[in-house]
Amino acid sequence: MAIDCVKTMPSKTTHHHHPKDQDQCKDDSKSLVFDAQVLRYQSSIPQQFIWPDHEKPSANAPELQVPLIDLGGFLSGSPDAAVEASRLVAEKNPSEHIEQYFHDRMGEDFAKFGRVYQDYCKAMSTLSLGIMELLGISLGVSRAHFREYFKENDSIMRLNYYPPCQKPELTLGTGPHCDPTSLTILHQDQVGGLQVYVDNEWRSISPNFDAFVVNIGDTFMVRY
């Protein structure tokens, strides 16, 4: 149980009384001490350790059927094992549910926006695989090399909105950073502001509404 101080121990444990024990018991009640050597012999559980009913785990939770993946075969370099392992860990068409998610979470008025968002994600996935083909050619490997590697890709789509600022030179929308992903496809607005660090200096990239800015991320650089 929760106690303000530890004065006694179970009978099987030797305890020596110290004069200061009595003073410790007068400490503010907010200063609780949980002594494992005492708690282990208590039949009641301190209230501080009891989870709310809505957060308590179910004692009879149904079993989740999860696939067994042969990592040994994959790590040994077996092509067949690699294909099977990648199939088992892939997500099941999550982009198909984007429109429904917007509808359920934000209402009917946002269903159209969800559909546009979903279509845009599909288009960017197709474009990214095409860019991977181009990178493969430029690096002297087969055209399909990177496309095959990244065809079951996971992607993140983010919409950044920066409100008008009277003193833009004093603030940053997104601070200096490296993209941790393999590839970034960026669509700038007409305002601009994007800068990249090249040859030890920051350089601006003017916005082009009819084109994308493509960045190679850390994952791709480390892997290849």
Side-chain angles (χ1 to χ4, degrees):
M1 64 178 179
I3 51 179
D4 294 318
C5 65
V6 179
K7 291 181 59 178
T8 60
M9 297 292 281
S11 57
K12 64 176 64 178
T13 304
T14 302
H15 175 74
H16 298 285
H17 179 76
H18 296 281
K20 64 178 181 180
D21 286 344
Q22 186 173 0
D23 293 334
Q24 289 177 340
C25 291
K26 297 178 181 179
D27 290 344
D28 192 294
S29 61
K30 295 182 180 179
S31 302
L32 298 177
V33 178
F34 297 98
D35 192 310
Q37 294 300 320
V38 174
L39 293 175
R40 63 185 299 184
Y41 297 106
Q42 300 296 329
S43 59
S44 61
I45 299 178
Q47 185 63 37
Q48 288 82 353
F49 290 117
I50 299 178
W51 287 94
D53 289 339
H54 68 281
E55 293 185 3
K56 290 178 182 176
S58 172
N60 300 306
E63 184 75 16
L64 176 65
Q65 300 300 317
V66 295
L68 294 177
I69 301 174
D70 181 13
L71 290 180
F74 169 71
L75 295 174
S76 70
S78 169
D80 292 338
V83 171
E84 178 63 11
S86 65
R87 183 187 69 82
L88 291 173
V89 302
E91 296 179 351
K92 296 182 179 180
N93 300 321
S95 62
E96 299 294 335
H97 305 294
I98 296 176
E99 181 179 353
Q100 189 64 42
Y101 177 85
F102 273 85
H103 178 276
D104 294 343
R105 294 285 182 168
M106 305 178 71
E108 179 65 32
D109 293 341
F110 287 87
K112 182 178 179 180
F113 177 72
R115 184 164 58 253
V116 172
Y117 194 102
Q118 178 173 301
D119 292 342
Y120 191 88
C121 287
K122 289 181 178 179
M124 290 301 99
S125 180
T126 300
L127 176 60
S128 66
L129 293 178
I131 294 173
M132 286 299 174
E133 289 187 356
L134 182 60
L135 290 173
I137 295 173
S138 70
L139 294 174
V141 298
S142 68
R143 179 170 181 165
H145 182 79
F146 294 130
R147 182 185 183 91
E148 290 299 314
Y149 186 86
F150 287 102
K151 67 180 180 180
E152 299 295 340
N153 68 88
D154 291 328
S155 61
I156 299 173
M157 181 175 172
R158 185 173 67 185
L159 305 177
N160 292 337
Y161 171 72
Y162 307 115
C165 179
Q166 299 301 317
K167 295 182 178 180
E169 71 279 4
L170 300 181
T171 187
L172 294 172
T174 299
H177 65 279
C178 294
D179 291 343
T181 54
S182 298
L183 198 66
T184 297
I185 303 175
L186 174 65
H187 190 211
Q188 293 190 85
D189 60 13
Q190 298 91 332
V191 177
L194 174 65
Q195 294 185 357
V196 295
Y197 196 68
V198 179
D199 296 332
N200 296 319
E201 67 175 337
W202 288 100
R203 300 186 183 184
S204 63
I205 297 182
S206 299
N208 184 340
F209 201 70
D210 296 320
F212 295 105
V213 175
V214 178
N215 296 335
I216 299 297
D218 289 343
T219 303
F220 189 92
M221 295 183 66
V222 171
R223 180 64 178 81
Y224 301 103

